[in-house]
Amino acid sequence: MLAVGLAFLPSAASAQAPAPPQNPPRVEAAPQAVPGFWDPRRRPERPDLTRLTVIRFLTETDYPPFNYTGADGNPSGFNVDLARSLCDEIKVTCTIQMRRFETLLDALSSNRGDAIVASIAATPQLRARVDFTDPYYRAPARFVSRRDGVMAEIRPEYLEGKKVGVVAGTAHEAYLKAMFTDAELHSYPSDDTLRTALRRGEVDFIFGDGIALAFWVNGTDSGDCCAFSGGPFVEGRYFGEGIGIAVRKGNDLLRQALNWALFRVWEKGRYTDLWLRYFSVSPF
């Protein structure tokens, strides 16, 4: 569980804060922000990198903008470029092999690769099979409204009686049912039907995965109808522990080397450069 670097992000605790004045101001959505998942006061110790001779990264084939095949036929995407930056920092030869997502864990366990960088969320179930680095990003939950109804902050009391759409059966629906009990929830079978409902004005807000919503808000499918309202929600019980790089159980040298390199890439500003290149609208 990530314990530092996210202090500036609203979480479930914000739902229990003292009630501010009603009728909060409506403003335009916040500008781009780059998340920081590393505490400069907790610098990872540099391991003995001379023991590493090669790192064979595995990633999936089709999950843009994180992993995809570039125009030149080579692996591309945020995860791929991050892996290359880590290799530059460690100063070790690296390969990046693309495979179907469902084959990645078996390929790692059978020694056909050394590390998986494919937007895999660290869960208790997966931790029983593999070890993870520190999180290098998280998938926050976000509210989206039509542009004429954007709120600077969202709390349960602000949405009393408001129509809020969410995809049925998701962690996002469970969170709303637990924390936003006075909102009028409307469940939809898919992301497409959810977003269409907001565009048509059938609901006042929708709630879902911040990364997917960031691309929709900034893409042509939204018709420039909508924008984020409030800040991100990162409650681990509902939205996960974060995305890490998976290595084989017990491979502490590689895990520690990658943790050290992740910190260095962030400290030097290279992580920020990558983030801004791939996320024109921040999910945070």
Side-chain angles (χ1 to χ4, degrees):
M1 178 73 182
L2 187 62
V4 297
L6 285 170
F8 65 98
L9 299 180
S11 67
S14 66
Q16 302 169 354
Q22 298 300 309
N23 302 317
R26 297 179 180 273
V27 300
E28 285 301 314
Q32 166 70 297
V34 179
F37 301 111
W38 295 273
D39 185 346
R41 298 167 298 180
R42 298 180 58 189
R43 301 175 62 87
E45 189 173 327
R46 187 182 190 276
D48 182 6
L49 302 178
T50 62
R51 296 164 55 194
L52 287 176
T53 57
V54 64
I55 301 176
R56 298 170 298 162
F57 279 104
L58 302 169
T59 192
E60 71 168 305
T61 56
D62 188 24
Y63 186 50
F66 294 99
N67 323 284
Y68 58 93
T69 302
D72 59 0
N74 292 318
S76 297
F78 176 81
N79 284 330
V80 173
D81 285 346
L82 179 62
R84 289 172 175 149
S85 294
L86 300 179
C87 296
D88 289 343
E89 198 61 46
I90 298 172
K91 300 191 182 342
V92 66
T93 299
C94 288
T95 61
I96 300 176
Q97 179 187 155
M98 304 185 80
R99 303 177 65 93
R100 296 194 315 278
F101 184 81
E102 64 271 18
T103 69
L104 291 174
L105 289 172
D106 287 340
L108 181 67
S109 62
S110 60
N111 199 30
R112 284 174 281 174
D114 301 309
I116 302 174
V117 57
S119 297
I120 296 181
T123 64
Q125 294 80 7
L126 284 180
R127 287 188 184 279
R129 298 185 60 183
V130 297
D131 288 337
F132 282 93
T133 65
D134 296 335
Y136 65 92
Y137 81 87
R138 300 186 76 170
R142 294 295 302 265
F143 284 95
V144 173
S145 64
R146 294 184 62 84
R147 288 192 175 275
D148 59 1
V150 168
M151 287 185 177
E153 183 180 13
I154 286 187
R155 297 187 180 192
E157 57 268 29
Y158 293 171
L159 299 193
E160 181 178 354
K162 298 289 187 181
K163 297 178 181 178
V164 182
V166 68
V167 174
T170 61
H172 303 97
E173 182 186 49
Y175 185 80
L176 290 178
K177 287 180 176 179
M179 306 301 294
F180 287 77
T181 55
D182 292 327
E184 182 181 314
L185 298 190
H186 293 254
S187 298
Y188 293 86
S190 68
D191 287 322
D192 286 342
T193 55
L194 176 69
R195 295 165 186 174
T196 298
L198 181 62
R199 288 191 61 182
R200 292 176 175 174
E202 296 171 9
V203 293
D204 302 303
F205 300 89
I206 60 175
F207 187 64
D209 177 78
I211 291 177
L213 286 172
F215 285 104
W216 178 69
V217 164
N218 198 47
T220 56
D221 288 349
S222 69
D224 199 32
C225 71
C226 307
F228 282 133
S229 267
F233 292 79
V234 293
E235 171 56 56
R237 289 177 299 164
Y238 291 90
F239 310 125
E241 304 173 32
I243 306 300
I245 300 173
V247 301
R248 278 188 298 281
K249 293 289 288 185
N251 193 347
D252 291 340
L253 172 62
L254 180 54
R255 181 180 57 81
Q256 291 167 4
L258 292 172
N259 276 339
W260 175 82
L262 282 167
F263 182 89
R264 293 281 292 167
V265 166
W266 169 77
E267 186 177 44
K268 293 180 176 181
R270 297 177 68 183
Y271 180 91
T272 296
D273 292 342
L274 277 179
W275 187 270
L276 293 174
R277 183 190 311 168
Y278 283 99
F279 302 100
S280 56
V281 172
S282 175
F284 291 91

